[in-house]
Amino acid sequence: MSFKTVPAPERPTEAPNLSVPVKRKRATHTPPKKVDRRFRKKLLQGAIDENLDLLADRPLGSTTKDRERQRRRIRRWLFGSAMAGLVLIGTSIVLTMRPTLATGEAVPNSGSFRLISSPAYQIDVNDPDPALPSLEGAILIAEAIPLTIRTVVIDPGHGGRDGGTSLNFGLLEKDLTLDIGIRLARRLEEAGLSPILTRSQDVEISLPERVAVANIERADLFISIHINWLPDRSARGVETYYLGPSDDPFLNRLAASENRASGFTLADTRRLLEVIYADVRREESRRLARSVQDSLFEVLRTENPDIVSRGVMSAPFAVLVATEMPAILAEVACLSNDREARLLAIPAYRQKIADALAEGVFRFATQKERNSLARTSHRVSSRDHKDGAQRGFLTDEATSRTQRHVAGDES
Amino acid sequence: MTESKNVFVGIDLGTSRSSISTSDGEHHMVESFVGWPLDMVARKVLKQKVLVGRDALENRTMLDLHRPLERGLLKEGSDKDQQAVRELVSYLMEVSGVSQARKGGAKVRSVIGVPAEALRVNRQHLREAMRGFVDHLIIVSEPFAVAYGLDALLHALVVDIGAGTSDFCVMQGRYPTDEDQRTLPNAGDWIDDQILKILEETNPDLKASIHTARAWKEEFGFVGHSKKVVEVTTPISGKPTEIDITAALKQACEALVPPVAETMLDLITSIEPEFQERVRNNVILAGGIAPMSGLAQALEKAMAPYGGGNVQVAEDPIFQGADGGLALAMDAPRSDWEKLPA
Ligand SMILES: Nc1ncnc2c1ncn2[C@@H]1O[C@H](COP(=O)(O)OP(=O)(O)O)[C@@H](O)[C@H]1O
Ligand SMILES: [Mg+2]
Ligand SMILES: [Zn+2]
């Protein structure tokens, strides 16, 4: 019976500087066990939690228990309430729809979805797969890319007493953002990512709570979904923000109104901003914003030819300030514009928006992956080797997850 | 605004050897001895206020010698031992350039391994001892650090046999709990003791120190068959005498096998049956004793009646703990580091 040796991770320096000579055993190299990155993360988290318990003088396991409780709650939201949420939105939209507001204008009927000119805007919540060409491409990309991005926090704007913008056709921003958020979550889940919704129901959540979800879950990305309202009623289109200062008074006003429910004081926001402006995160956020904005524009243009890309902008939104990962806020449509408002009433269009957001995430992830591959290819270290192994593992897993989903074997 | 540089550090404070690995690629080891000159004369001869490592061991007759981490734990209630640990850490920080980096404004984020059985108070003492050397600190169980460094996180059993203790940790994809870990007092020091005891039985006048026994074990120790005859020269009744220590060495080293094998099997049978075979085939032998000739085979043999198993010897017994600590330090999220001041 022969025994092998486990190679120690490579070290950059050659001979260690020792006060006594070191005898080394000759080794036959076996590659290290391929371990899912999630295991590493979970184990590391256990060690950190134990230390936090000790520092806070709490019984061991307290921090982990808190964290698990939080995770269970979020899982319940995600899986248990997704449908309930949809029904809720559907009902509320149907209930709040006011046929008299119909302008009678026809939405351009490009492609396969219905022209809406009927006064009653029925939203069919039982139509999970709208008669729109689905974005197969997006899913394929996700399968093909090794996933450097895994946990994505989706933050449907507003909720509860805070309705957000409303106006045309009785549509409320809070209902639309939730619907799009749930659709996006499903899309990301299909692609093997772990989406987490900050809310899955019509509830009021403070901005610090939204931020906390993202930070506690150590999300890789944070995407806040909003619907714009612009003073110029003819203005339409999409715009995406990342955190940054703004000298545009309108943007500052907009940020102020989105921050209203924040619980952050203006001083808090300023202080946090100063800390974060210099952060590398900002550059990543900008790239994510760019990717999502381009995708929104490209994808939605097929259904909404007059759509305008209002661009990527930076503004001091509170949710973007306090999150610890690349974070963006997407204004996915303009509720102040009649045409867009009516498009928003169509499930298929909301699905398109979700698909476009997902596509933006996939593109960002692919680009990130490519960059990191380019970086690591000319650096030799054992860590890269491990990462490579993990990438393979995750990709397999993502694929099998998708297949499971397709087979309808959902837990 | 530029962020200050972070230096990540993994430290293994061992009973017999302590080591450091840093994100700047530095690796240093020191034997865990600290000694203060006993009197004025000694201080004049040695020209130093304190000696660390091999220096301390070699000049031990002139020193108040401390091995502050008996059984891997910082000894309690002794200011001298607390001070000695600080001297060891200080030495490691100096030789690896971490102190200098810290003076230059870098934040030092370190992970330190302690034996699986270390209690809350032990950890608190360690935290206090580290103050002033590092900015942020995570304390983990030593075999866990080793497992993390080797990526043996799932269905693996790490057996870390050092000087003071043998630490066992079964990895099942979760942070090890008390049930996943065991500590035995049978390890390197215990073998040294056994060697002397056995030799003194047959040669009552034999005068050998525990340090000599340790050197014999390190150079000639073995388990199982050996064709070699081990003869050493040592004073008996004041006269240098050549003696054959082959049998004594074999007996002392082999005495380690039953308790270690028993603890291994005990841990393995406590996990879910469907995973036991995988764990048996993924035993990793770590620590300074691991490379001892014949040990891994003997442990494999002990598992044979239970379906057999595979024992791998981890490379680099000196730095595996510190390297694992460094890997943990570099993987820990920045936001968590902020919450863990030293
Ligand atoms: N080549 C060797 N063969 C057998 N034992 C050794 C060898 N090298 C070191 N040792 C023993 O290993 C022990 C130290 O192991 P180590 O893992 O460094 O311990 P610790 O972590 O407790 O300081 C000592 O008992 C030492 O004598
Ligand atoms: Mg050790
Ligand atoms: Zn809004």
Side-chain angles (χ1 to χ4, degrees):
Chain A
M1 213 170 332
S2 70
F3 61 93
K4 300 171 222 76
T5 59
V6 180
E10 275 173 49
R11 284 198 297 270
T13 50
E14 271 304 308
N17 174 2
L18 295 173
S19 51
V20 290
V22 184
K23 266 182 255 163
R24 266 167 212 277
K25 226 186 127 54
R26 207 164 284 282
T28 53
H29 280 260
T30 29
K33 296 266 164 318
K34 288 171 191 168
V35 175
D36 188 331
R37 192 181 61 154
R38 271 183 310 168
F39 276 134
R40 290 181 77 87
K41 204 163 150 183
K42 195 170 116 195
L43 287 160
L44 176 57
Q45 193 63 65
I48 289 167
D49 288 356
E50 190 181 83
N51 279 266
L52 289 171
D53 287 340
L54 286 170
L55 269 179
D57 211 10
R58 304 200 311 161
L60 290 185
S62 309
T63 305
T64 305
K65 249 179 240 146
D66 288 356
R67 201 187 296 280
E68 271 159 13
R69 211 170 294 136
Q70 165 101 3
R71 188 162 296 144
R72 269 201 302 279
R73 213 179 66 213
I74 289 163
R75 291 272 144 74
R76 264 207 304 279
W77 281 0
L78 188 63
F79 294 115
S81 324
M83 277 329 285
L86 264 186
V87 170
L88 201 90
I89 303 148
T91 326
S92 76
I93 291 175
V94 169
L95 288 179
T96 50
M97 215 143 289
R98 282 184 287 152
T100 46
L101 274 177
T103 59
E105 259 182 295
V107 173
N109 182 9
S110 62
S112 47
F113 69 87
R114 275 173 300 144
L115 181 93
I116 305 288
S117 54
S118 131
Y121 300 112
Q122 291 295 331
I123 291 178
D124 186 7
V125 290
N126 297 318
D127 179 20
D129 249 333
L132 273 172
S134 76
L135 280 189
E136 291 304 340
I139 293 168
L140 284 177
I141 290 169
E143 280 177 1
I145 53 162
L147 302 173
T148 48
I149 302 296
R150 190 158 193 101
T151 308
V152 179
V153 166
I154 300 165
D155 175 42
H158 312 281
R161 279 175 305 167
D162 171 18
T165 44
S166 66
L167 188 79
N168 287 345
F169 317 120
L171 293 175
L172 294 174
E173 184 185 1
K174 63 170 185 177
D175 297 321
L176 296 166
T177 58
L178 179 57
D179 174 274
I180 294 164
I182 290 170
R183 289 171 189 273
L184 173 59
R186 261 200 236 133
R187 193 48 110 206
L188 295 182
E189 168 115 295
E190 279 165 3
L193 300 177
S194 313
I196 290 166
L197 287 158
T198 54
R199 68 182 180 98
S200 59
Q201 288 167 343
D202 185 15
V203 286
E204 199 170 0
I205 302 179
S206 72
L207 297 191
E209 280 172 302
R210 294 170 197 263
V211 167
V213 169
N215 290 345
I216 288 172
E217 289 296 317
R218 295 150 189 290
D220 299 306
L221 299 178
F222 179 90
I223 298 175
S224 194
I225 302 171
H226 287 260
I227 316 274
N228 221 340
W229 191 94
L230 296 170
D232 172 7
R233 297 291 209 86
S234 63
R236 57 187 345 201
V238 292
E239 52 194 3
T240 308
Y241 294 91
Y242 63 101
L243 174 72
S246 167
D247 41 19
D248 177 343
F250 175 70
L251 280 187
N252 282 326
R253 255 207 322 281
L254 176 66
S257 82
E258 299 282 17
N259 290 350
R260 211 176 28 228
S262 74
F264 286 109
T265 64
L266 196 63
D268 282 341
T269 314
R270 284 250 170 68
R271 195 168 44 76
L272 285 162
L273 277 177
E274 274 157 18
V275 178
I276 284 166
Y277 278 155
D279 204 311
V280 283
R281 193 173 66 88
R282 192 171 159 211
E283 175 52 21
E284 291 249 313
S285 297
R286 195 193 57 75
R287 283 205 305 107
L288 175 62
R290 178 84 263 160
S291 170
V292 165
Q293 174 67 18
D294 289 348
S295 164
L296 276 170
F297 180 63
E298 277 169 41
V299 172
L300 297 182
R301 194 166 45 173
T302 60
E303 307 301 339
N304 181 6
D306 297 331
I307 198 167
V308 178
S309 174
R310 304 175 50 83
V312 167
M313 283 168 261
S314 69
F317 291 114
V319 280
L320 303 184
V321 174
T323 42
E324 295 170 356
M325 64 287 312
I328 57 161
L329 186 149
E331 303 270 10
V332 295
C334 277
L335 210 45
S336 47
N337 181 281
D338 283 348
R339 278 166 185 254
E340 289 212 337
R342 270 182 291 148
L343 278 168
L344 280 168
I346 306 165
Y349 190 74
R350 297 196 301 269
Q351 183 61 45
K352 267 279 171 187
I353 293 175
D355 290 345
L357 290 170
E359 167 85 18
V361 169
F362 300 149
R363 283 187 200 169
F364 174 76
T366 317
Q367 194 185 349
K368 195 172 152 71
E369 180 66 19
R370 223 179 283 126
N371 289 348
S372 75
L373 278 180
R375 257 204 315 281
T376 52
S377 61
H378 47 78
R379 196 168 48 119
V380 190
S381 100
S382 62
R383 224 133 257 286
D384 297 334
H385 173 69
K386 278 183 206 159
D387 286 344
Q390 284 151 10
R391 276 196 292 268
F393 193 96
L394 290 180
T395 310
D396 286 353
E397 189 192 52
T399 314
S400 73
R401 273 229 243 171
T402 312
Q403 282 159 354
R404 222 175 34 235
H405 195 90
V406 169
D409 176 20
E410 267 260 71
S411 53
Chain B
M1 198 176 80
T2 53
E3 205 184 314
S4 61
K5 182 176 139 64
N6 291 320
V7 178
F8 298 95
V9 167
I11 296 177
D12 175 3
L13 291 177
T15 309
S16 76
R17 303 184 287 205
S18 298
S19 50
I20 189 169
S21 299
T22 79
S23 51
D24 291 338
E26 297 283 333
H27 295 84
H28 301 267
M29 183 275 266
V30 63
E31 293 190 65
S32 306
F33 291 100
V34 176
W36 289 272
L38 281 168
D39 55 17
M40 272 296 294
V41 180
R43 203 167 312 141
K44 282 220 171 102
V45 174
L46 297 167
K47 296 187 186 70
Q48 280 173 73
K49 283 204 198 92
V50 57
L51 279 75
V52 172
R54 177 117 308 200
D55 273 357
L57 188 60
E58 277 165 4
N59 294 296
R60 61 181 175 277
T61 51
M62 285 183 272
L63 300 173
D64 171 19
L65 186 71
H66 287 251
R67 205 187 186 194
L69 296 142
E70 208 69 78
R71 300 192 55 206
L73 295 174
L74 208 167
K75 283 188 211 152
E76 227 184 299
S78 156
D79 288 349
K80 261 274 140 78
D81 286 319
Q82 186 97 4
Q83 185 53 36
V85 167
R86 290 183 62 83
E87 292 293 347
L88 283 178
V89 173
S90 166
Y91 174 88
L92 291 172
M93 294 290 177
E94 287 293 331
V95 290
S96 59
V98 175
S99 319
Q100 290 87 318
R102 192 161 185 265
K103 278 186 206 113
K107 291 263 171 287
V108 178
R109 302 184 158 175
S110 69
V111 172
I112 299 195
V114 294
E117 65 167 17
L119 303 170
R120 203 174 261 256
V121 282
N122 303 130
R123 288 166 193 250
Q124 267 151 7
H125 283 145
L126 184 59
R127 212 165 254 287
E128 280 155 27
M130 292 304 293
R131 222 153 272 160
F133 294 113
V134 300
D135 298 283
H136 300 257
L137 177 64
I138 296 176
I139 299 174
V140 299
S141 118
E142 177 66 23
F144 169 68
V146 172
Y148 195 91
L150 295 173
D151 231 347
L153 302 180
L154 191 57
H155 309 313
L157 173 62
V158 174
V159 181
D160 176 357
I161 309 181
T165 52
S166 293
D167 288 283
F168 300 75
C169 181
V170 66
M171 299 299 304
Q172 326 192 47
R174 65 169 187 224
Y175 186 66
T177 61
D178 286 348
E179 296 146 50
D180 300 329
Q181 308 192 71
R182 299 269 194 288
T183 301
L184 279 187
N186 312 71
D189 289 351
W190 179 81
I191 296 180
D192 303 346
D193 252 3
Q194 299 296 305
I195 294 172
L196 284 186
K197 269 200 197 121
I198 296 164
L199 287 177
E200 279 162 8
E201 268 168 29
T202 44
N203 308 288
D205 297 323
L206 178 130
K207 283 268 170 296
S209 76
I210 198 82
H211 302 290
T212 310
R214 178 174 163 209
W216 289 339
K217 173 200 64 186
E218 289 179 8
E219 189 158 7
F220 309 113
F222 70 99
V223 169
H225 299 292
S226 170
K227 280 177 231 121
K228 265 190 287 178
V229 174
V230 182
E231 286 185 330
V232 295
T233 307
T234 192
I236 295 182
S237 310
K239 212 172 57 188
T241 314
E242 192 155 295
I243 57 166
D244 180 346
I245 61 166
T246 319
L249 262 185
K250 180 176 156 82
Q251 195 188 333
C253 294
E254 287 185 345
L256 185 67
V257 176
V260 169
E262 193 183 308
T263 308
M264 274 169 54
L265 289 164
D266 183 34
L267 262 178
I268 291 171
T269 46
S270 74
I271 63 181
E272 277 184 57
E274 56 177 313
F275 299 128
Q276 290 181 7
E277 191 187 341
R278 284 160 82 177
V279 176
R280 274 201 318 274
N281 282 301
N282 199 10
V283 176
I284 291 158
L285 193 55
I289 301 288
M292 183 187 281
S293 164
L295 181 58
Q297 290 92 330
L299 294 174
E300 282 185 347
K301 215 166 133 193
M303 284 191 288
Y306 304 87
N310 193 323
V311 178
Q312 311 187 30
V313 176
E315 218 184 291
D316 202 349
I318 292 178
F319 290 107
Q320 59 205 189
D323 281 346
L326 176 59
L328 282 160
M330 291 178 69
D331 287 353
R334 201 172 56 173
S335 55
D336 284 327
W337 273 120
E338 301 296 345
K339 291 182 246 159
L340 294 161

